Amino acid sequence: MEKATRSILVIEDDKATLNKIKNQLKELNYKVACVMTAQEGVDYCIKNIVDLILLDLGLPDKDGMYVIETVRSFNNTLPIIVVSGRTTTESKVLALDAGANDYMTKPFSMDELLARIRKELRNTYTEEKHLFINGNLTIDYDAKTIFVNGVEVHFTNFEFKIVTLLANNLGKTLAYDYIINHVWGKDGQDQNGLRVFMAGIRKKISRDPKSAKLIRTDIGSGYRMNKIN
Ligand code: CA
């Protein structure tokens, strides 16, 4: 399987720090998006695929805590690393309790930050993953086969593409248009068409009642595959 480029969103209003982080990440072939306000950060996460957030807390419009709380309201798994000038234990506890995965204080060591980024991404992604298992759903990428509760279920080519796209972005809501662009290319399908495909996929997956909640609709925004324990 092709190694996916990981997308990192940097939310930081200090230009020098922002550029330093951005340049370093780009050099290491991460895809980097940068915003300087809390609201832009949240909006970006809703509209785009993000694999990890680096978050400053002292932002011009809202506190960075707003980003943690808002992102956690719709995504439980997206790693968030706080990089903040606030050094008190209380600030760290607040951020971690709100759902941040890690917390670094400024001034920070770039090498240490990079190691912490790698650690978080390792937790959510395995490079040599040919088999995807989530609850009763198993995808065999090599054989292009899907099993529901151990039984092979036939999925059409487009259905297979949709399921693997959702699986590869486990826990993230993918916008309708994002899915359409990835599966059919631009203008390949409208949202109603996608809905028909999703209904077909759901029907096949929900043969097993335990898998019924696997794929969720976030009304008005898109679809998400939930992590099943
Ligand atoms: Ca700041």
Side-chain angles (χ1 to χ4, degrees), residues 68-123:
I68 302 175
E69 284 156 6
T70 311
V71 168
R72 281 292 170 259
S73 71
F74 63 84
N75 189 321
N76 271 322
T77 53
L78 173 58
I80 301 173
I81 302 177
V82 171
V83 183
S84 172
R86 295 180 197 163
T87 56
T88 63
T89 303
E90 193 195 357
S91 304
K92 293 176 192 172
V93 169
L94 277 174
L96 294 168
D97 277 351
N101 297 67
D102 203 349
Y103 193 112
M104 284 191 76
T105 52
K106 291 175 181 170
F108 61 92
S109 136
M110 186 60 80
D111 283 340
E112 187 180 345
L113 178 63
L114 293 171
R116 287 175 189 249
I117 290 171
R118 286 193 297 273
K119 172 186 169 282
E120 291 304 328
L121 292 177
R122 229 180 1 251
N123 289 341

Side-chain angles (χ1 to χ4, degrees), residues 19 73 82-83 94 121 126 130 153 159 181 191 195 210:
N19 285 332
S73 71
V82 171
V83 183
L94 277 174
L121 292 177
T126 322
H130 296 287
V153 178
E159 288 173 342
N181 285 343
Q191 291 189 6
R195 211 164 291 146
K210 279 183 198 155

Side-chain angles (χ1 to χ4, degrees), residues 133-152:
I133 301 170
N134 184 25
N136 295 329
L137 179 78
T138 303
I139 302 172
D140 183 334
Y141 289 101
D142 293 333
K144 285 207 161 197
T145 308
I146 295 178
F147 298 87
V148 178
N149 215 6
V151 178
E152 186 180 334

Side-chain angles (χ1 to χ4, degrees), residues 11-14 36 56-60 83-85 106:
I11 308 175
E12 167 66 74
D13 65 324
D14 177 64
M36 297 176 88
D56 179 27
L57 292 180
L59 294 165
V83 183
S84 172
K106 291 175 181 170

